[in-house]
């Protein structure tokens, strides 16, 4: 499975960004999708999940500001990030698997992440 995250950049606090995770075939229709981030010197953390049944879940630190969504026609999953804060600065990754795997964050492979830098 090769997933590529894109859409990162350098923004000011309060700005918005939309990240994209491009997949192939119906991979996003058959698996739970997770967006993760890893800040410098910190462990990778799960920030948002989207199940096959369209249920979503968010980390407390991003709830109300981030939205995960799926475009079936484009085989793409998005992470809309509003009201960005300096503490959102991290490399963001996406991955797919069972819900349990997504929550565990244990994968054999991680695709290319995208860097988000938020300055105050």
């Amino acid at each position: 499975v090769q997933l590529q995250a894109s859409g990162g950049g350098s923004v000011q606090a309060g700005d918005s960004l939309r990240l994209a995770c491009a997949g192939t075939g119906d991979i996003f229709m058959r698996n739970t999708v997770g967006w993760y981030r890893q800040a410098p010197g910190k462990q990778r953390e799960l920030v948002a999940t989207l199940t096959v049944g369209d249920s979503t879940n968010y980390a407390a630190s991003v709830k109300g500001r981030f939205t995960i969504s799926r475009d079936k026609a484009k085989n793409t999953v998005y992470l809309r990030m509003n009201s960005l804060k300096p503490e959102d600065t991290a490399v963001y990754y996406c991955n797919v698997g069972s819900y349990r795997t997504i929550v565990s964050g244990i994968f054999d492979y991680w695709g290319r992440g995208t860097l988000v830098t938020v300055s105050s």
Side-chain angles (χ1 to χ4, degrees):
V1 175
Q2 290 192 354
L3 300 172
Q4 302 295 334
S6 62
S10 296
V11 297
Q12 298 288 321
D15 286 349
S16 298
L17 278 175
R18 189 181 73 165
L19 306 183
C21 177
T24 57
D26 61 351
I27 190 170
F28 294 134
M29 299 307 299
R30 296 185 287 108
N31 295 279
T32 294
V33 182
W35 275 101
Y36 302 80
R37 67 185 181 187
Q38 187 166 19
K42 295 187 177 181
Q43 289 191 332
R44 187 175 288 154
E45 64 170 336
L46 178 62
V47 296
T49 62
L50 174 63
T51 69
V52 171
D54 291 333
S55 294
T56 58
N57 203 6
Y58 300 92
S61 58
V62 307
K63 198 168 187 177
R65 300 188 297 121
F66 289 14
T67 303
I68 187 171
S69 62
R70 173 174 48 221
D71 187 324
K72 300 175 185 178
K74 295 183 178 180
N75 295 321
T76 302
V77 170
Y78 299 100
L79 184 68
R80 176 70 179 183
M81 306 185 298
N82 295 328
S83 303
L84 283 162
K85 304 175 181 180
E87 51 263 44
D88 294 320
T89 294
V91 178
Y92 285 72
Y93 302 86
C94 57
N95 222 323
V96 295
S98 68
Y99 186 79
R100 179 174 292 185
T101 299
I102 291 291
V103 171
S104 76
I106 299 173
F107 294 93
D108 292 332
Y109 176 79
W110 288 91
R112 183 190 67 194
T114 187
L115 176 63
V116 173
T117 304
V118 185
S119 56
S120 58

